């Protein structure tokens, strides 16, 4: 039984209402996103606008990284938020945070579009790495990012950079170019087993190093 | 399969990098309802989200939001702020006007002589300059709108604080107020906490200080235990930067005699029974008969 919700409601005295933690991990930020998603489900367009203002730069950076074309990335970004508006019931609050859901949606839609582009150009040229030839996002850190976890993003980018070169390469082809294991094997002329092992190692190393940093940060 | 291997597979799965029979086998295992794997999958998704957010953020042009809001305004059931719906309709009308102007320019190009063509290109230049200025104004408007939204949120937070403080003050002035001090466990070496009861009004208030912050994605929960073996989840709270926290709640009218209270650390959205480590606890003497 939840006495709080039956009576005056639970009071959550979040200390820092302008939370400085990463939006994906901070309870304050994730709760704020959940409240905005509830507004979207109630067909409140201003909630969609607020959610867009909070996360569009991060998601646009992701779409640009995958597609390498501002026009294409803009269209995907618009489609992602419109899909959220039209199908907000697909988000399961018990399973993930709104930012994780939005990130998955943006990555998936950007990769779908990338694969369609590649098919248009040449089915034979699929082995050429789109992720490697993309123009980098050069806008730099936005004020929003600075407020919402730029430091965390830079840490992940640095950890990615510190991976073994071959491992990072296969991870990027898999994650940011959406290539299957066999496509990566063909692209890099490597045995399939090697590709699988490298993707696994890269992800596990990234996870373990992130966990080490978190444990290190918790120590007094 | 060892738990560690399964944990690695969940990471690959979350990143979309698990294929074929391995993926099918893992999905079947997840469908079986393994709680440990469900928790590990959430952790894996958090890592994958961090990876996805590792590229440098970039500011999309304001037109993207304008187009989005125009689509929203035209979709069914929008309960948008009136200004937004209007902006959407205006945009649709503007696009139609631009299309018409385009046809006009094409006719002029085909049928009108050189002086008029020069005039048209001067006008085009003016339009180009104005469009640039419009873009700058749009960016400024978006920035102001973001600032306004932030101030609204701050105001709402302040109003919430004032309301809860007023309620707390009323509560503390109640005659016949009882209180109990909670003992801190080793996990909270500097914490002091007290629960105040107003039994006639079925209200209680926790005030704590010197609390450590909980781990990421976790909160503190106040529990009551009744003589008949019942457990009541009173509410959740987080300490502020100084480690202080307050929680005010009304108890159900049919609450049994309370014999014990505790504060535990729980995952956000956890269930109706305590499962996390005890931070604070005390025996309670409930004066009701």
């Amino acid at each position: 039984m939840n006495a709080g919700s039956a009576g005056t409601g639970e009071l959550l005295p979040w200390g820092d209402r302008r939370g400085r933690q990463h939006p994906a991990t901070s309870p304050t930020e994730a709760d704020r996103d959940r409240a905005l998603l509830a507004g979207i489900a109630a067909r409140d367009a201003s909630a969609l606008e607020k959610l867009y203002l909070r996360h569009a730069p991060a998601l646009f950076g992701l779409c640009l990284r995958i597609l390498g074309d501002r026009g294409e990335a803009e269209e995907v970004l618009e489609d992602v938020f419109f899909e959220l508006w039209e199908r907000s019931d697909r988000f399961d609050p018990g399973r993930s945070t709104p930012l994780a859901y939005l990130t998955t949606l943006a990555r998936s839609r950007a990769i779908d579009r990338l694969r369609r582009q590649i098919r248009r150009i040449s089915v034979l040229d699929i082995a050429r790495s789109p992720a490697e030839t993309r123009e980098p996002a050069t806008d730099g850190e936005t004020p929003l990012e600075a407020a919402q976890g730029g430091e965390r993003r830079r840490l992940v980018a640095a950890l990615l950079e510190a991976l073994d070169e071959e491992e990072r390469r296969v991870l990027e082809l898999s994650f940011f170019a959406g290539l299957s294991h066999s496509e990566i094997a063909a692209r890099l002329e490597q045995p399939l087993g090697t590709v699988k092992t490298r993707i696994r190692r890269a992800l596990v190393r990234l996870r373990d190093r992130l966990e080490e940093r978190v444990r290190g940060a918790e120590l007094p | 399969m060892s738990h560690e291997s399964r944990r690695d597979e969940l990471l690959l799965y979350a990143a979309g990098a698990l294929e074929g029979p391995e993926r099918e086998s893992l999905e079947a295992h997840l469908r079986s309802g393994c709680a440990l794997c469900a928790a590990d999958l959430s952790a894996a998704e958090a890592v994958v989200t961090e990876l996805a957010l590792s590229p440098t953020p970039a500011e999309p042009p304001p037109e993207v939001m304008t187009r989005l809001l125009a689509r929203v305004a035209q979709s069914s059931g929008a309960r948008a702020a009136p200004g937004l719906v209007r902006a959407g309709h205006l945009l649709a009308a503007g696009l139609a006007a631009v299309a018409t102007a385009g046809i006009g320019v094409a006719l002029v190009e085909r049928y009108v002589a050189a002086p008029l063509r020069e005039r048209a290109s001067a006008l085009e230049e003016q339009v180009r300059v104005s469009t640039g200025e419009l873009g700058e104004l749009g960016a400024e408007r978006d920035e102001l709108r973001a600032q306004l939204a932030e101030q609204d949120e701050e105001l709402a937070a302040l109003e919430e604080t004032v309301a809860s403080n007023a309620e707390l003050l009323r509560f503390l002035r109640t005659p016949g107020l009882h209180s109990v001090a909670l003992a801190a466990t080793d996990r909270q070496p500097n914490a002091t906490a007290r629960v105040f009861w107003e039994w006639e009004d079925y209200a209680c208030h926790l005030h704590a200080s010197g609390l450590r912050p909980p781990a990421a994605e976790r909160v503190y929960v106040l529990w009551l235990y009744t003589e008949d073996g019942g457990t009541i989840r009173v509410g959740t709270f987080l300490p502020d930067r100084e480690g202080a926290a307050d929680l005010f709640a009304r108890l159900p009218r049919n609450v049994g005699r309370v014999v014990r209270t505790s504060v535990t650390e729980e995952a956000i959205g956890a269930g109706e029974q305590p499962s996390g480590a005890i931070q604070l606890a005390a025996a309670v003497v409930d004066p009701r008969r």
Side-chain angles (χ1 to χ4, degrees), chain B residues 155-200:
Chain B
L155 190 62
L158 278 173
E159 283 171 353
E160 198 178 289
T161 308
V162 168
S164 69
N165 284 345
E167 178 136 20
L168 179 58
L169 206 57
R170 276 198 300 278
F171 178 74
L172 289 173
R173 285 175 177 158
T174 311
L177 193 69
H178 294 79
S179 78
V180 59
L182 275 67
T185 64
D186 292 346
R187 294 171 191 279
Q188 295 288 354
N190 303 319
T192 56
R194 188 167 278 273
V195 176
F196 299 87
W197 313 90
E198 211 293 277
W199 293 108
E200 284 179 14

Side-chain angles (χ1 to χ4, degrees), chain B residues 253-268:
Chain B
R253 294 269 161 181
N254 58 354
V255 63
R257 284 195 77 218
V258 178
V259 291
R260 199 158 55 83
T261 181
S262 75
V263 169
T264 61
E265 185 186 296
E266 305 287 343
I268 290 174

